Amino acid sequence: MSDATNYVTLTIDAVEVKVEAGTTVLQAAEHAGIVVPHYCYHPGIPSRPAQCRMCLVEIEGQPKLQPSCVFPAQDGMVVYTTSETAETARKSVIEFLLLNHPLDCPICDAAGQCMLQDYAFETGQLRSRYAEAKLVLGRDRVADDILYFGDRCIVCTRCVRFMEELAGDNALVVAQRGHKAYIDTFPGKDLDNAFRGNIVDVCPVGALVHEDFVFKARAWDMDSSPGICPGCSTGCNIDINVKENQIVRTKPRLNPDVNSYWMCDHGRRHLVMANRGVRAEAPLIRVDGELEPASWNEALTWIAGRLEAGDGAAVVSGGAANESLFYMRGLLSELGIDGGTFRVLQGEEITLPGFPKLKLRADRAPNVTGAELHGFKRSDELADVPDGGVLIVLGDALADAPADYGANAGFFLCVGSHLYPAMVNATAILPMTSVLEMEGTFVNYEGRVQRFHQALRAPGVARPAWMSLSRLLEHRGVGEGVLDARAAFQTMAAGTTGMDNLSWSGLGLRGELLSEAGQPAVAVE
């Protein structure tokens, strides 16, 4: 096909736009940076019912206003999104929606991120001509952790269509009709889908809310950081919302190559629980049989002088960053220790039918591929520790380790973010930041290298493992310590097969596939 048959050119608000044939007028307006108000349309949900009537636009040659979310762009078309006729219709729709909508913006959890609030303010509709009492529908629980405020609902049906078309679950329905319509679970069915949390994300108002978020924060109270979900090997792109150094909400971040607009509920719960427990906040070294705190320089000097080459074992975590695994491999090589293992918690694999690439995968760790890439082997058991040898543990909680694990080692170095019972046998402990408190990269199941960013402040003097391990190597006379994630990544990429063509800035917010001669290095499902 020629370029002329693949594309159409139209004019929207005096701006000429060239888009692919089949693109809707609303999508064409987005290409031109023109915002057309809408509620029921969502770019990730296939159906477009055009029922909210907010996206009506005036098109030359058409006898009446047209819903831009379904009207196809045509060559030579002239569109007006802000004409008097279109704006009058839009104001009428908003006035209708506000007839029964409660004026509870001061206590609504969607305040500051509510599309109805934004459009009502933009159109200047600060008073209502409706004098009668508002219809009160009250609050309901549609799932164990999701609340539904019926009087806030504008019945855009995004939630119902997500569950039916993407989750493959018809647990949600529109009950009643007309001004009495509301969202409810289908009689006899429970909303227990593994991806149900996305109905809160797609709601354009404050009708659907996660119960653990209610009254916790406003949009302007939270800091947001782009991250990678550590819940499984999919590596969903997410936004982490933080208030007072606590995660209060996680939302999926658009990446068409990984998770589109969605994420699973396991990932949301995993992130909220990630930093609970007793944290390691300062380096500890064993003096006269007792673990005592030390400064970083003192601890690194002490450890470097006592680590001896010879027999040993290493246990790492499938949730450790690539940069940390790289420097861990460097330390093991310096000590003459071959191998190293990691364990991965397994779970049920659950697919989002409407976007099959998104799965809650069986491997409940984000960097299994990265661990294998750096030469560590998957194992179901903890590594055997040779008597009098060296044992180094990076990131593994040793939750199921026997009480005497590592007690027979000549030197037991633990680099971890939390203090666990098995660590009482350690010769030295270096406090590590969690993935939420540092920058670094993961490699997901298909070989996509993705960056995650710091969202929380680290406790005490905890440092990223790549920083402490690189400095430990420096104290042993090998290389130089690194103090920032970019330098750690560049050193790691240059020394890792398949990554030498990647750059820190080139990864951006969507990541890049590992490649060999331009082809993915890891097979894609």
Side-chain angles (χ1 to χ4, degrees):
M1 284 185 163
S2 67
D3 183 72
T5 55
N6 279 330
Y7 290 87
V8 297
T9 301
L10 66 160
T11 302
I12 304 177
D13 292 343
V15 177
E16 189 175 278
V17 187
K18 185 177 182 180
V19 295
E20 292 184 10
T23 302
T24 65
V25 172
L26 189 150
Q27 293 168 329
E30 289 179 342
H31 279 286
I34 298 169
V35 177
V36 179
H38 59 274
Y39 293 125
C40 62
Y41 165 75
H42 186 283
I45 301 176
S47 63
R48 297 165 187 169
Q51 68 184 41
C52 74
R53 315 311 285 178
M54 272 296 291
C55 68
L56 294 174
V57 296
E58 186 175 359
I59 302 175
E60 285 189 1
Q62 293 293 323
K64 59 181 180 179
L65 298 175
Q66 298 293 337
S68 59
C69 68
V70 294
F71 204 87
Q74 299 172 13
D75 210 34
M77 179 182 285
V78 179
V79 180
Y80 305 100
T81 69
T82 57
S83 68
E84 183 178 351
T85 305
E87 290 196 339
T88 299
R90 201 168 295 141
K91 288 181 179 180
S92 298
V93 171
I94 293 177
E95 184 177 23
F96 176 76
L97 291 174
L98 291 175
L99 290 182
N100 287 307
H101 195 91
L103 301 178
D104 65 347
C105 295
I107 65 166
C108 177
D109 292 282
Q113 295 177 316
C114 173
M115 294 168 67
L116 181 59
Q117 186 182 50
D118 291 343
Y119 296 156
F121 177 78
E122 184 179 333
T123 56
Q125 292 174 255
L126 304 180
R127 293 186 178 182
S128 173
R129 293 179 290 171
Y130 188 67
E132 288 74 11
K134 291 179 180 287
L135 179 68
V136 178
L137 293 177
R139 184 173 71 178
D140 192 13
R141 188 186 301 276
V142 294
D144 290 342
D145 55 348
I146 298 176
L147 298 177
Y148 172 68
F149 294 80
D151 45 7
R152 295 177 187 168
C153 183
I154 61 174
V155 198
C156 67
T157 69
R158 283 187 180 186
C159 55
V160 177
R161 289 180 287 127
F162 168 82
M163 291 303 302
E164 182 176 350
E165 299 170 24
L166 284 126
D169 187 344
N170 59 358
L172 283 184
V173 296
V174 178
Q176 299 296 338
R177 291 294 180 267
H179 72 288
K180 295 182 179 180
Y182 62 95
I183 306 300
D184 200 359
T185 52
F186 191 84
K189 297 201 70 172
D190 294 325
L191 184 61
D192 58 0
N193 191 279
F195 295 91
R196 68 190 181 198
N198 292 289
I199 67 173
V200 177
D201 299 325
V202 299
C203 182
V205 292
L208 289 166
V209 186
H210 285 291
E211 187 171 17
D212 62 357
F213 180 69
V214 173
F215 304 139
K216 277 193 175 179
R218 288 287 185 267
W220 52 87
D221 290 332
M222 299 182 290
D223 295 319
S224 182
S225 299
I228 303 298
C229 177
C232 78
S233 58
T234 293
C236 288
N237 289 220
I238 58 173
D239 280 317
I240 303 171
N241 297 153
V242 175
K243 179 183 179 183
E244 297 175 354
N245 209 40
Q246 294 290 326
I247 296 175
V248 293
R249 184 175 65 180
T250 55
K251 297 173 74 68
R253 175 167 52 87
L254 173 62
N255 189 334
D257 298 319
V258 180
N259 59 303
S260 187
Y261 294 88
W262 323 115
M263 70 180 294
C264 73
D265 289 2
H266 169 77
R268 298 177 198 267
R269 291 191 294 269
H270 185 88
L271 280 159
V272 171
M273 299 291 290
N275 273 15
R276 299 192 179 182
V278 181
R279 295 298 304 273
E281 298 188 8
L284 301 174
I285 57 177
R286 191 170 293 277
V287 179
D288 297 329
E290 298 292 332
L291 286 170
E292 296 187 358
S295 69
W296 269 107
N297 193 56
E298 180 185 1
L300 293 173
T301 302
W302 189 89
I303 295 169
R306 285 165 175 77
L307 278 175
E308 295 182 0
D311 292 338
V315 178
V316 302
S317 168
N322 288 309
E323 296 75 13
S324 301
L325 293 169
F326 172 78
Y327 284 106
M328 177 68 167
R329 172 57 60 203
L331 179 60
L332 295 178
S333 298
E334 159 67 12
L335 297 173
I337 300 174
D338 294 328
T341 62
F342 66 95
R343 300 177 300 161
V344 182
L345 180 67
Q346 296 293 295
E348 179 187 2
E349 185 168 279
I350 306 175
T351 303
L352 181 64
F355 190 76
K357 193 172 183 179
L358 174 55
K359 298 179 182 179
L360 170 57
R361 298 183 187 274
D363 285 339
R364 299 293 204 259
N367 203 26
V368 173
T369 304
E372 293 173 339
L373 189 69
H374 291 288
F376 297 96
K377 294 182 179 180
R378 184 194 294 251
S379 174
D380 295 329
E381 305 292 337
L382 277 171
D384 292 329
V385 185
D387 291 338
V390 174
L391 171 62
I392 304 179
V393 176
L394 170 64
D396 193 301
L398 303 177
D400 56 347
D404 61 348
Y405 185 72
N408 64 325
F411 196 99
F412 179 3
L413 172 61
C414 187
V415 184
S417 58
H418 292 71
L419 295 175
Y420 294 104
M423 291 185 182
V424 297
N425 303 316
T427 311
I429 298 174
L430 295 180
M432 179 181 81
T433 56
S434 72
V435 297
L436 299 169
E437 299 159 352
M438 59 181 280
E439 290 186 89
T441 60
F442 291 143
V443 185
N444 76 349
Y445 76 99
E446 65 173 343
R448 183 175 296 277
V449 183
Q450 302 187 104
R451 285 175 55 180
F452 55 86
H453 298 248
Q454 181 177 353
L456 301 175
R457 296 188 306 275
V461 293
R463 296 291 182 266
W466 47 259
M467 184 184 294
S468 56
L469 290 173
S470 68
R471 290 192 61 208
L472 180 57
L473 281 167
E474 183 180 34
H475 275 71
R476 291 181 62 86
V478 180
E480 296 181 357
V482 292
L483 301 178
D484 66 89
R486 179 186 293 270
F489 175 83
Q490 290 172 342
T491 304
M492 181 271 298
T496 304
T497 303
M499 285 195 181
D500 51 356
N501 64 329
L502 300 177
S503 67
W504 182 250
S505 57
L507 294 179
L509 289 176
R510 295 192 175 182
E512 288 190 24
L513 284 171
L514 292 169
S515 60
E516 293 177 350
Q519 299 300 319
V522 181
V524 179
E525 291 186 343

